[in-house]
């Protein structure tokens, strides 16, 4: 709306938590430093408090960017949960199946095994609970109990509680005395001071591309008094002030304009009244100033046109200036280079790159990618809510979390949810839908992208989650045997030969016992015998399961068997 008028590249006071526009004041810098140093290792409970609108969410995003690469971040935004839901949410966010039928003791045992595996892999797990002032006393006590889980290397999980000032009041209750004793750091964010508001306004305007002073000193002082120094309210009032200045065609924002903006944002005066006054002033200005100037400009333009029509043809060549520019290759290259700097997304390719980066920044939650993978299999919940791995048991499917290299994914031959890290080392999740040696198709935020396979390999973090057919199980060997007999009665010979050949080559390409001929006549008993021999020779449970899953022929594949 007003970006071009003020020579802006972006909206400087947009409400979205954009890291580029994050202003680090004294208290923000201190809080970020304290939280980074304590959460970079295992076994820390930290508390971040501050008034509503002070920028806690944006600071947490900056904190995640500054934490070590091998950090598993679990974000919980809804405080309305109990002890059971807390454990189940942490497990599900980590890719572990957790049901509502399991007891707290069973869920705690699963969590201990998960944390031991993570610590052995060098991964630090941190749980961030937003709006923590709404947590119940029982959940706070459960957090303390979880933080006490220890292994051979000590404590194995971090917690960061983020909330308003009421959070500190809740923690100061006598019943939470032991919890407070476990807290390693209390950090707080306060409202900006008067001089910080001046720096904040100028910083965001410069980051948006405007390097000339737009807000006067009196306007910023008025802004500070009217907002109390809270960044969220400052953004709303400053954005409204820029709109008012644009409507009035003023390049400088005065204290009076800021007062009008505060009246609108704080609902002290009707927007209709302010809009009517602005319209009336614009009408008077148009009638007595703009129209006479416009008529004068038209007269001058006509005079220049007629003079040029009569006198210029005898002095200039018939070749137009435009054709001269188009023939100059050096000028064209410099023009394209300048255009790419001034307008980053002026062509289709650069727009696609910008959209791709936006999709990466929005794909931070594994549960969203799991829901997409389930839809690729052709399933969704009846209530159209987000599906999870726990919903697959009724259709004889299961989720498996594997830690293998990228070549193993190609052999598994299933669409998978892969854990990745962007150029800023922030973790995100994507669905690997198709792949080849040169090009891969990934799904980010429900949008399909074609990227180079080298990009996926470079950003792959070593862990993926797949959906496959549940293996037969039973209390006796006979029941398991019958399940395998039924299974191999349904497997065709052609698909068995193709799948088994690939997996046998991965296990041991020189093993004569596993070699089969494409023309040989294999019965279901022969196929079952080869399958059991493969399992005897292999000690890799992931490889054994993937062979069984591929032989089922059910569901989608990266490449059709």
């Amino acid at each position: 709306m007003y970006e071009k008028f003020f020579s802006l590249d972006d909206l400087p006071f947009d409400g979205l938590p954009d890291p580029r526009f994050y202003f680090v004041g004294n208290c923000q810098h201190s809080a970020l430093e304290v939280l980074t140093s304590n959460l970079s290792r295992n076994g820390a409970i930290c508390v971040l408090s501050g008034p509503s609108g002070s920028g806690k969410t944006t600071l947490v995003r900056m904190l995640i960017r500054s934490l070590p690469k091998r950090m598993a971040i679990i974000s919980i935004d809804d405080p309305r949960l109990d002890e059971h839901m807390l454990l189940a949410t942490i497990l599900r966010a980590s890719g572990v199946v957790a049901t509502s039928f399991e007891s707290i003791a069973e869920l705690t045992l699963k969590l201990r095994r998960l944390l031991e595996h993570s610590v052995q892999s060098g991964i630090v797990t941190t749980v961030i609970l937003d709006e923590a002032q709404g947590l119940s006393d029982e959940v706070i006590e459960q957090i303390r109990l979880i933080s006490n889980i220890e292994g051979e290397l000590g404590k194995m999980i971090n917690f960061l509680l983020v909330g308003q000032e009421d959070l500190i009041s809740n923690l100061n209750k006598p019943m939470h005395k032991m919890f407070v004793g476990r807290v390693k750091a209390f950090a707080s964010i306060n409202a900006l001071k008067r001089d910080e508001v001046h720096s904040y306004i100028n910083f965001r305007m410069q980051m948006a591309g405007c390097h000339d002073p737009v807000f006067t000193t009196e306007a910023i002082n008025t802004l500070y008094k009217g907002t109390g120094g809270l960044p969220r309210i400052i953004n709303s009032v400053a954005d409204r002030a820029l709109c008012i200045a644009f409507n009035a065609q003023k390049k400088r924002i005065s204290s009076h304009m800021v007062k009008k903006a505060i009246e609108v944002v704080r609902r002290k005066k009707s927007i209709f009244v302010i809009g009517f006054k602005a319209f009336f002033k614009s009408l008077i200005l148009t009638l007595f100033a703009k129209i006479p100037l416009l008529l004068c400009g038209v007269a001058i333009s006509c005079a220049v046109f007629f003079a040029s029509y009569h006198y210029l043809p005898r002095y200039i060549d018939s070749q137009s200036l435009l054709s001269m520019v188009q023939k100059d290759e050096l000028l064209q290259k410099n023009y394209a280079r300048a255009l790419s700097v001034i307008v980053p997304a002026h062509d289709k390719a650069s727009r696609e790159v910008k959209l791709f980066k936006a999709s990466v920044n929005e794909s931070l939650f594994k549960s969203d990618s799991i829901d997409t993978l389930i839809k690729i299999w052709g399933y969704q919940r009846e209530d159209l809510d987000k599906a999870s791995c726990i919903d697959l048991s009724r259709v004889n499917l299961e989720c498996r979390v594997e830690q293998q290299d990228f070549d193993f994914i190609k052999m598994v031959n299933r669409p998978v949810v892969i854990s990745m890290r962007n150029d800023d080392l922030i973790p995100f999740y994507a669905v690997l839908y198709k792949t080849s040696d040169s090009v891969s198709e990934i799904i980010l935020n429900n949008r399909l992208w074609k990227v180079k396979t080298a990009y996926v390999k470079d950003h792959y973090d070593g862990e993926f989650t797949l959906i496959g057919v549940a293996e037969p199980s039973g209390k006796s060997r006979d029941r398991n045997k019958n399940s395998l007999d039924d299974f191999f009665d349904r497997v065709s010979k052609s698909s068995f030969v193709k799948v088994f050949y690939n997996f046998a080559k991965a296990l041991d390409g020189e093993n004569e016992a596993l070699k089969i001929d494409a023309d040989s006549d294999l019965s279901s008993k022969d196929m079952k015998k080869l399958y059991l021999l493969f399992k005897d020779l292999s000690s890799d449970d992931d490889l054994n399961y993937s062979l069984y899953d591929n032989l089922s022929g059910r569901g989608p594949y990266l490449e059709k068997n």
Side-chain angles (χ1 to χ4, degrees):
M1 178 170 51
Y2 53 73
E3 297 97 309
K4 186 176 180 180
F5 182 75
F6 289 105
S7 301
L8 297 169
D9 299 327
D10 294 294
L11 294 173
F13 300 102
D14 194 12
L16 298 176
D18 191 338
R20 295 178 303 154
F21 291 92
Y22 186 65
F23 175 77
V24 181
N26 292 330
C27 62
Q28 288 85 358
H29 177 75
S30 176
L32 191 61
E33 184 177 12
V34 169
L35 294 177
T36 302
S37 61
N38 282 279
L39 294 176
S40 296
R41 51 186 183 273
N42 276 324
I45 298 179
C46 298
V47 177
L48 174 62
S49 62
S52 177
S54 59
K56 297 186 296 296
T57 301
T58 308
L59 186 138
V60 170
R61 287 178 177 266
M62 296 297 295
L63 172 66
I64 293 175
R65 292 164 63 94
S66 61
L67 289 175
K69 178 181 179 181
R70 302 293 290 179
M71 173 73 72
I73 304 293
I74 300 173
S75 297
I76 301 177
D77 301 323
D78 192 348
R80 297 171 299 177
L81 40 72
D82 53 24
E83 311 97 299
H84 190 281
M85 291 171 60
L86 174 66
L87 286 164
T89 302
I90 295 174
L91 289 170
R92 291 170 183 169
S94 303
V96 178
V97 177
T99 68
S100 58
F101 302 104
E102 296 175 278
S103 65
I104 290 181
E106 292 173 325
L107 294 175
T108 302
L109 179 59
K110 282 187 175 183
L111 180 59
R112 172 182 286 276
R113 292 173 179 171
L114 170 67
L115 295 176
E116 288 175 348
H117 178 72
S118 298
V119 170
Q120 291 173 359
S121 303
I123 299 175
V124 178
T125 302
T126 297
V127 180
I128 301 176
L129 296 102
D130 202 0
E131 300 295 338
Q133 72 275 1
L135 294 175
S136 64
D137 296 332
E138 292 79 9
V139 172
I140 293 176
E141 178 61 17
Q142 185 63 48
I143 292 173
R144 185 186 70 83
L145 295 175
I146 295 174
S147 68
N148 285 334
I149 298 177
E150 292 190 14
E152 295 180 355
L153 300 177
K155 308 289 186 183
M156 296 187 291
I157 190 170
N158 296 334
F159 281 94
L160 173 60
L161 277 61
V162 183
Q164 301 177 19
E165 293 95 332
D166 295 342
L167 172 60
I168 304 300
S169 302
N170 292 340
L171 296 181
N172 285 332
K173 294 178 182 178
M175 66 181 67
H176 298 316
K177 183 177 180 180
M178 295 178 64
F179 179 87
V180 173
R182 285 277 293 110
V183 176
K184 284 194 174 183
F186 284 92
S188 63
I189 303 180
N190 303 319
L192 299 176
K193 299 178 181 179
R194 185 187 300 271
D195 57 340
E196 289 181 325
V197 173
H198 282 257
S199 301
Y200 179 82
I201 293 294
N202 294 329
F203 168 76
R204 293 191 74 116
M205 290 294 290
Q206 291 176 10
M207 289 300 298
C210 179
H211 300 284
D212 297 324
V214 175
F215 288 80
T216 64
T217 303
E218 294 78 10
I220 297 179
N221 290 335
T222 303
L223 183 64
Y224 169 73
K225 293 178 182 178
T227 61
L230 292 174
R232 183 183 299 168
I233 304 178
I234 290 175
N235 290 342
S236 299
V237 173
D239 181 73
R240 175 53 55 184
L242 287 169
C243 292
I244 294 173
F246 170 70
N247 292 331
Q249 294 295 292
K250 298 290 186 182
K251 289 287 187 178
R252 295 276 283 173
I253 295 177
S254 63
S255 175
H256 181 66
M257 294 179 183
V258 172
K259 289 180 181 179
K260 286 184 178 180
I262 293 174
E263 290 173 351
V264 174
V265 173
R266 310 294 283 191
R267 299 183 182 179
K268 294 182 178 179
K269 185 176 287 188
S270 171
I271 297 178
F272 173 77
V273 174
I274 296 175
F276 179 77
K277 288 184 177 180
F279 170 75
F280 185 74
K281 289 182 180 179
S282 177
L283 180 63
I284 296 298
L285 181 65
T286 301
L287 292 177
F288 294 97
K290 293 183 179 180
I291 291 181
L293 289 174
L294 180 62
L295 293 176
C296 182
V298 171
I300 294 174
S301 299
C302 292
V304 172
F305 171 77
F306 285 111
S308 301
Y309 181 78
H310 285 286
Y311 297 106
L312 285 183
R314 69 185 68 176
Y315 297 111
I316 62 174
D317 190 81
S318 60
Q319 187 180 27
S320 68
L321 180 63
L322 179 61
S323 62
M324 294 172 62
V325 172
Q326 290 176 344
K327 290 182 179 180
D328 193 330
E329 295 183 0
L330 179 61
L331 185 59
Q332 285 292 312
K333 290 181 180 179
N334 291 334
Y335 171 75
R337 187 182 300 111
L339 187 63
S340 64
V341 174
I342 297 172
V343 187
H346 71 283
D347 58 4
K348 182 178 179 181
S350 56
R351 283 196 297 272
E352 287 293 319
V353 171
K354 194 170 184 179
L355 287 174
F356 178 77
K357 291 182 178 179
S359 296
V360 168
N361 293 333
E362 294 171 0
S363 303
L364 301 177
F365 298 99
K366 186 177 181 179
S367 57
D368 295 335
S369 297
I370 292 293
D371 178 58
T372 301
L373 184 60
I374 293 175
K375 290 178 181 177
I376 291 175
W377 273 77
Y379 300 101
Q380 66 178 10
R381 290 171 58 101
E382 294 180 357
D383 56 5
L384 302 181
D385 199 359
K386 185 189 297 185
S388 63
C389 291
I390 193 175
D391 299 315
L392 297 175
S393 58
R394 66 189 68 179
V395 290
N396 198 35
L397 298 175
E398 65 179 2
C399 290
R400 290 178 67 95
V401 180
E402 314 284 3
Q403 291 185 338
Q404 300 281 359
D405 58 19
F406 191 78
D407 291 334
F408 190 87
I409 297 178
K410 296 178 68 174
M411 185 173 60
V412 166
N413 199 27
R414 286 288 196 186
V416 296
V417 174
I418 55 177
S419 173
M420 305 179 72
R421 291 198 180 256
N422 63 16
D423 295 333
D424 295 325
L425 303 182
I426 297 177
F428 69 98
Y429 298 92
V431 176
L432 181 63
Y433 184 60
K434 299 288 184 183
T435 186
S436 66
D437 293 337
S438 58
V439 179
S440 295
E441 296 181 10
I442 60 175
I443 300 176
L444 295 169
N445 197 26
N446 292 327
R447 183 165 181 171
L448 182 67
W449 297 92
K450 286 188 176 182
V451 299
K452 293 182 178 179
T453 302
Y455 171 85
V456 180
K457 290 183 178 179
D458 291 341
H459 293 76
Y460 174 52
D461 204 24
E463 183 176 283
F464 66 91
T465 302
L466 65 90
I467 296 176
V469 177
E471 290 187 279
S473 60
K475 295 182 179 179
S476 65
R477 291 187 176 180
D478 293 339
R479 183 179 303 177
N480 193 19
K481 179 179 178 182
N482 293 335
S483 298
L484 282 177
D485 289 340
D486 295 338
F487 176 76
F488 282 101
D489 285 340
R490 298 190 299 269
V491 176
S492 67
K493 173 199 157 186
S494 59
S495 62
F496 178 87
V497 170
K498 184 175 181 180
V499 171
F500 190 83
Y501 174 78
N502 292 332
F503 277 83
K505 183 171 61 175
L507 178 62
D508 186 356
E510 302 299 328
N511 196 310
E512 294 292 336
L514 296 178
K515 288 187 177 180
I516 55 176
D517 188 357
D519 298 328
S520 60
D521 187 15
L522 295 176
S523 64
S524 60
K525 291 183 178 180
D526 296 332
M527 289 187 286
K528 177 184 172 184
K529 181 178 179 181
L530 284 170
Y531 169 76
L532 295 176
L533 178 60
F534 181 93
K535 293 191 67 174
D536 290 338
L537 295 175
S538 171
S539 59
D540 190 337
D541 181 63
D542 298 339
L543 194 65
N544 296 338
Y545 170 77
S546 298
L547 172 60
Y548 177 85
D549 178 50
N550 272 253
L551 290 175
S552 69
R554 181 180 174 186
Y557 290 91
L558 294 175
E559 294 182 6
K560 188 174 181 181
N561 289 327

